[in-house]
Amino acid sequence: MCTDAGCSHASLPRVNIKQTHGDAVTVEKSNDKLVLCPQCDWMVKLPEIKQGDKAVCPRCHTTLSALWVEPVLQPVSCAISALIMLVFANLFPFINMQVSGIYNQIKLMAIPEAMVSDDYASLATLFIIFVQLIPAFCMVAIILLCLKVRLPYRLKVIMGRVIYLAKVWCMVEIFLVGVLVSFVKLMAYGDIGIGPSFVPYCLFCLLQVRAFQCLDRYWLWQSIQSAPELHQTPRLGMSGMEQGLRSCPCCMAILPMDEHQCPRCHTTGYARRRNSLQWTLALLVTSIMLYIPANILPIMVTEVLGNPMASNIISGVIILWEDGSYPVSLVIFIASIMVPTLKIMAIGWLCYDASGAGKTGNKLDREKMHYLYEVVEFVGRWSMIDVFVIGVLSALVRMGRLMSIYPDVGAVLFAMVVILTMIAAMMFDPRLLWDRKKMINQ
């Protein structure tokens, strides 16, 4: 279950599922409304959920299913409105700047165009994918699936899979925060204004987040096709692995452990992600190797009256602090320095704990470790703020020899660090933390 802002169900009241422990194992004759928690592998039965309620796992408190008021109308209306706002946001000028009588305004697509002209097509590609293409595709998929438009089953499956794989990469709200940070940075140099498309883009940001929030994974896949029949008797109050069962990582169907391809969504999976710790550690080490030069090398070059001045992340934070922009300086410091550093340390700690290396030490609280994992998943992508700030500045500040800003190699390396740590968190299997609890108890 995703823990980012786009799929949080925190605003819904919770319906508790009764926990079954130890000897009080319950045998279920039907697999109707049975769910294996994707985060801790606990077998639970969903209660009857009223509109406006959500059901959470009794062991790790992960949201398993939620029933919003108007569960079809809300995501569809939000998705349609979001697409309309995205069209308006791309048609008109986005922001403008005036310095010493020189005026410049840009549209959204001018940002990747400026990056390409500066030979940073990689950053331009990231902007187009994360801020435009993925959110737009997900909104179209939500509309088609929720309205049950007649489509080939294979196409429905592909769209359902892409929604839950891609929504973590929707960075619309992060880009918007980056734009606001850019405003504060540029206020010292000239007058900053918003164009006609700025408000539609803000609405697009809010609406696409709401569309994701109102879309329940369990309900969506049940509407595409019922879960495959399970030819064995599931038991509540036990992990799936203990009874030879696994959960499909995409559609949440309960499957035999030896059935590697889900018959409903055709996703290949295993009881635990194969080589999860090895992949996580490999990506983590790679991100550490890139993180050092990303902080040392310049991420941006500011040219004033023909004199170029390169700056890295740390120097940018210092300059903002000295200029009195304390809130913005703290935002950049937290998002670009603290978050990546702490995330790398947290992922390393999770891998250490899940590997069983600390078996002879103090017993770690599983719930706290699981909470740490959820925090790591949520905060990681917010480090892209600095990359988006550079994109906005490089597109807007094009005043010839008077003043111009260009991206530099450090921005590419830093973007790679953020992406690699995000993938590392995705490769880590949180169920290993709960398997570790059983190892300690034994």
Side-chain angles (χ1 to χ4, degrees), residues 248-395:
C248 174
C250 180
C251 70
M252 300 176 68
I254 300 175
L255 306 169
M257 194 182 297
D258 56 0
E259 187 175 352
H260 298 310
Q261 188 176 64
C262 175
R264 178 162 66 173
C265 68
H266 311 302
T267 300
T268 300
Y270 301 87
R272 298 292 181 268
R273 290 184 191 132
R274 302 187 74 183
N275 303 316
S276 171
L277 295 180
Q278 292 88 333
W279 274 106
T280 304
L281 288 172
L283 291 165
L284 191 63
V285 171
T286 306
S287 64
I288 293 172
M289 294 171 63
L290 293 174
Y291 186 57
I292 297 173
N295 279 278
I296 296 175
L297 295 175
I299 62 170
M300 185 173 68
V301 176
T302 304
E303 187 176 315
V304 180
L305 299 176
N307 297 317
M309 181 180 66
S311 60
N312 55 28
I313 297 174
I314 298 174
S315 63
V317 171
I318 294 173
I319 290 172
L320 283 170
W321 187 270
E322 290 176 345
D323 290 341
S325 301
Y326 304 123
V328 179
S329 176
L330 286 174
V331 168
I332 297 296
F333 177 76
I334 292 171
S336 301
I337 298 177
M338 279 188 62
V339 168
T341 303
L342 294 176
K343 184 176 181 180
I344 289 171
M345 295 172 61
I347 294 175
W349 187 15
L350 289 170
C351 290
Y352 175 80
D353 181 64
S355 68
K359 186 174 181 179
T360 57
N362 296 327
K363 185 194 299 186
L364 296 174
D365 186 344
R366 298 304 95 195
E367 290 188 5
K368 290 181 180 179
M369 294 302 295
H370 182 79
Y371 179 74
L372 176 64
Y373 167 76
E374 290 184 326
V375 171
V376 165
E377 258 202 331
F378 173 75
V379 302
R381 65 201 198 107
W382 283 91
S383 299
M384 286 293 287
I385 287 179
D386 223 13
V387 178
F388 290 139
V389 168
I390 295 167
V392 173
L393 294 178
S394 62

Side-chain angles (χ1 to χ4, degrees), residues 361-437:
N362 296 327
K363 185 194 299 186
L364 296 174
D365 186 344
R366 298 304 95 195
E367 290 188 5
K368 290 181 180 179
M369 294 302 295
H370 182 79
Y371 179 74
L372 176 64
Y373 167 76
E374 290 184 326
V375 171
V376 165
E377 258 202 331
F378 173 75
V379 302
R381 65 201 198 107
W382 283 91
S383 299
M384 286 293 287
I385 287 179
D386 223 13
V387 178
F388 290 139
V389 168
I390 295 167
V392 173
L393 294 178
S394 62
L396 185 60
V397 186
R398 294 291 172 113
M399 307 291 181
R401 294 181 64 84
L402 177 63
M403 183 179 180
S404 295
I405 293 178
Y406 309 98
D408 212 334
V409 64
V412 179
L413 295 176
F414 187 76
M416 292 176 64
V417 170
V418 177
I419 292 171
L420 286 172
T421 52
M422 287 177 65
I423 298 175
M426 293 167 64
M427 293 300 298
F428 180 79
D429 194 335
R431 294 170 295 186
L432 297 174
L433 299 172
W434 298 93
D435 294 343
R436 174 89 174 100
K437 178 180 179 181

Side-chain angles (χ1 to χ4, degrees), residues 59-222:
R59 184 157 76 155
C60 70
H61 312 299
T62 296
T63 299
L64 300 176
S65 182
L67 186 61
W68 293 85
V69 177
E70 299 293 347
V72 175
L73 181 61
Q74 278 208 65
V76 169
S77 59
C78 288
I80 293 174
S81 302
L83 289 175
I84 294 172
M85 291 300 105
L86 180 60
V87 172
F88 286 144
N90 280 278
L91 288 178
F92 306 104
F94 186 58
I95 50 179
N96 56 68
M97 180 179 182
Q98 186 171 356
V99 180
S100 300
I102 300 177
Y103 180 81
N104 186 28
Q105 66 177 10
I106 60 169
K107 293 183 177 181
L108 272 175
M109 289 310 296
I111 297 174
E113 288 173 4
M115 294 178 182
V116 171
S117 66
D118 293 330
D119 296 326
Y120 283 95
S122 56
L123 292 178
T125 303
L126 294 179
F127 173 85
I128 293 173
I129 292 175
F130 294 158
V131 179
Q132 298 260 23
L133 292 183
I134 290 180
F137 178 84
C138 289
M139 294 301 101
V140 172
I142 288 173
I143 294 168
L144 295 176
L145 292 177
C146 288
L147 291 180
K148 298 184 180 180
V149 176
R150 184 171 296 180
L151 296 169
Y153 179 74
R154 185 69 180 177
L155 182 57
K156 289 183 179 180
V157 166
I158 291 173
M159 288 193 294
R161 290 175 63 177
V162 170
I163 286 176
Y164 289 100
L165 287 173
K167 66 180 178 180
V168 70
W169 301 101
C170 291
M171 300 187 182
V172 179
E173 64 272 28
I174 300 173
F175 170 73
L176 189 57
V177 174
V179 172
L180 299 178
V181 171
S182 303
F183 285 178
V184 178
K185 279 191 171 187
L186 293 173
M187 281 179 182
Y189 300 102
D191 297 326
I192 307 298
I194 61 174
S197 70
F198 184 80
V199 173
Y201 192 82
C202 293
L203 293 174
F204 166 65
C205 174
L206 296 174
L207 288 166
Q208 65 93 28
V209 169
R210 183 63 177 173
F212 278 128
Q213 188 182 45
C214 296
L215 186 69
D216 181 62
R217 182 190 300 197
Y218 180 83
W219 173 87
L220 178 66
W221 280 104
Q222 287 295 107

